[in-house]
Amino acid sequence: MTTQRISKLRQYLADGGIDALYCRSTTDIAWLTGVSGVFDTEQAHMALISPQDALVHTDSRYSHALRCALESEVGIWQVDDSRVSHARCALERVALLGKGQNCEAGSWECAPIMGIDLGLTLGEYRQLEKESAGQVQFLETSNVVLNLRSVKDEAEIAAMERAQHITDAAFAHMAQWMRPGMTERQVARELDRTMMEFGAQGLAFDTIVATGPNAANPHHVSDDTRLEPGHLVVMDFGARLAGYCSDMTRCVSVGEPDEYTQNVYEAVRFANETVEARLSVGMRGIDAHTLAEECLASRGFAGRMGHGLGHGVGLDIHEEPCLNLRNQSPLVAGNVVTVEPGVYVPGRIGCRLEDFGVVTPGGFHVFTQTSHELVII
């Protein structure tokens, strides 16, 4: 697994004439190494990939665990916990890379080229510039590893399917447990507790529970608002397992929904199911989003979505590719994306229905197993 990922990255470097890539994203490093259970949320690591080396520079808090985790990758990865800055560690190694015998010693054109991602902080870039003292050329790159991560392998897909099994089971519990009068916070806490009890190693993101008018805010922060008859409750949540995320949104009606609520829900369901039936290799992100907008408009809810139709999922809850108006690239086999159309009417109602799955040559394989039927409590 690691060998294939490093090979893809090295091919990118070769195609771009880059001698080494300086990587500071912990998620990117976790993906490149294939390691789970070592890294946390602290951005305490640096990976340097060149044709000769695959190095992680870290500190003593992580180095032993990382070496143990990489035992099967001996000969591919090195772990360096020397007490120097990431910049100094990388520059010392990159400076050893030559540009060939025909280069004049000390000439700028012969200085090794180190790729740096646009996500690097300005402060760290300035440090690299200062410490390199003109001995290394820097080339800006954009989301190199993130783009490689957008195509999932079988192990990644299996991890996300297992995470989704937990998420589905948690919602089944909630559909039986929820009662009118409970607060959003109570529901969110129980949902989180249930996912952990069912085997999640963490939450994919902060759970969203939004009832009634609150649901018109897609990223509402759950509060003490109570679930009341006539409310539609939006629940957006996901489990994390082996480092990988699941993502799901379902709605619950408090009592029988009125005609308007039913129309909103059916419009969102129509958009979701239409897109999922057509999503396949070659469809562009913009096309999937536009199709959902057209479905909602046909049911009388034009301009009521506001956000993109979906996003990639993996080690991070938001990855590439996105299903939105800005993405004109075609989907490829192995892309894992959400499909989450919604309708939002400020002061009145919000509704979203989200599944996620993998794009295949034969269509869209949905991981989510929970029914699209509206649950009534």
Side-chain angles (χ1 to χ4, degrees), residues 181-362:
M182 292 178 174
T183 68
E184 294 172 344
R185 280 201 184 97
Q186 284 178 294
V187 175
R189 282 198 297 265
E190 177 67 10
L191 187 46
D192 293 350
R193 184 199 67 79
T194 302
M195 286 190 285
M196 298 299 288
E197 180 182 318
F198 288 176
Q201 294 170 342
L203 303 180
F205 54 93
D206 290 341
T207 295
I208 297 170
V209 176
T211 189
N214 288 347
N217 177 2
H219 277 204
H220 171 71
V221 177
S222 303
D223 58 26
D224 290 327
T225 302
R226 295 188 181 277
L227 282 57
E228 299 178 2
H231 280 188
L232 192 66
V233 187
V234 174
M235 304 165 65
D236 190 344
F237 55 102
R240 186 180 292 274
L241 188 66
Y244 284 85
C245 300
S246 64
D247 196 1
M248 168 177 167
T249 305
R250 287 296 185 271
C251 291
V252 171
S253 177
V254 184
E256 290 290 335
D258 60 23
E259 183 179 3
Y260 182 78
T261 299
Q262 190 69 44
N263 289 341
V264 168
Y265 185 79
E266 289 303 325
V268 172
R269 179 175 179 175
F270 174 57
N272 175 289
E273 294 177 353
T274 300
V275 172
E276 290 185 359
R278 299 188 193 179
L279 204 61
S280 62
V281 171
M283 176 179 269
R284 301 178 302 167
I286 187 174
D287 298 329
H289 178 95
T290 300
L291 177 59
E293 291 273 22
E294 290 171 349
C295 289
L296 295 175
S298 73
R299 298 297 181 91
F301 298 102
R304 288 296 188 181
M305 186 158 70
H307 56 68
L309 174 65
H311 55 85
V313 180
L315 289 168
D316 289 328
I317 191 59
H318 290 105
E319 294 192 357
E320 296 295 331
C322 291
L323 307 183
N324 60 28
L325 294 173
R326 295 183 298 277
N327 184 12
Q328 303 207 25
S329 299
L331 297 170
V332 301
N335 288 157
V336 171
V337 296
T338 66
V339 176
E340 46 182 307
V343 164
Y344 309 95
V345 182
R348 185 171 185 180
I349 192 173
C351 176
R352 185 164 63 256
L353 180 61
E354 176 186 21
D355 300 321
F356 88 122
V358 60
V359 178
T360 76

Side-chain angles (χ1 to χ4, degrees), residues 84-104:
V84 298
S85 68
H86 296 314
R88 174 50 46 198
C89 178
L91 290 168
E92 287 177 353
R93 287 183 174 254
V94 171
L96 299 175
L97 301 176
K99 299 294 285 185
Q101 296 179 351
N102 295 326
C103 278
E104 180 182 347

Side-chain angles (χ1 to χ4, degrees), residues 1 5 27 30-31 33-39 152-164 166 195-196 198-204 238-246 314-316 319:
M1 178 170 61
R5 294 174 183 180
T27 309
W31 182 82
T33 59
V35 166
S36 64
V38 172
F39 303 113
K152 271 56 178 183
D153 60 31
E154 291 182 1
E156 292 177 291
I157 291 168
M160 283 183 278
E161 287 191 291
R162 292 196 301 271
Q164 184 55 43
I166 293 170
M195 286 190 285
M196 298 299 288
F198 288 176
Q201 294 170 342
L203 303 180
R240 186 180 292 274
L241 188 66
Y244 284 85
C245 300
S246 64
L315 289 168
D316 289 328
E319 294 192 357

